[in-house]
Amino acid sequence: MEQKKPYIIKEQPGTKYYCACSKSKNLPYCDGSHKGSGLHPVKVEIDEEKTVAICSCGLSANPPYCDGAHKSVQ
């Protein structure tokens, strides 16, 4: 786990690719580090500017968004 809280990001409209393997050097965004792992980034279309909470623990039942599951590992 990179951190014990979500990444809080003010996102602009557009396509976002969030890391699913935790190996990216640009977390929470995918940088292609997953290649060969069988994992793939989570693609999200952001329609309007908004603040999002992106999961950093990998336990969320609603990826890539945080659902508070990290609290069970703190």
Side-chain angles (χ1 to χ4, degrees), residues 1 4-6 57 59 66-74:
M1 180 183 347
K4 295 181 181 178
K5 59 183 179 181
C57 73
L59 299 175
C66 176
D67 66 1
H70 62 276
K71 293 176 185 175
S72 68
V73 294
Q74 287 186 355

Side-chain angles (χ1 to χ4, degrees), residues 10-70:
K10 187 173 186 178
E11 290 286 22
Q12 300 300 314
T15 304
K16 311 298 176 188
Y17 294 90
Y18 296 109
C19 179
C21 72
S22 299
K23 295 179 182 178
S24 175
K25 291 181 176 41
N26 189 30
L27 291 171
Y29 303 104
C30 177
D31 69 359
S33 295
H34 65 277
K35 291 192 168 113
S37 71
L39 297 172
H40 302 283
V42 180
K43 179 181 176 183
V44 175
E45 294 292 334
I46 304 290
D47 296 327
E48 59 188 32
E49 182 180 296
K50 64 180 173 179
T51 300
V52 295
I54 302 300
C55 176
S56 69
C57 73
L59 299 175
S60 176
N62 187 30
Y65 303 107
C66 176
D67 66 1
H70 62 276

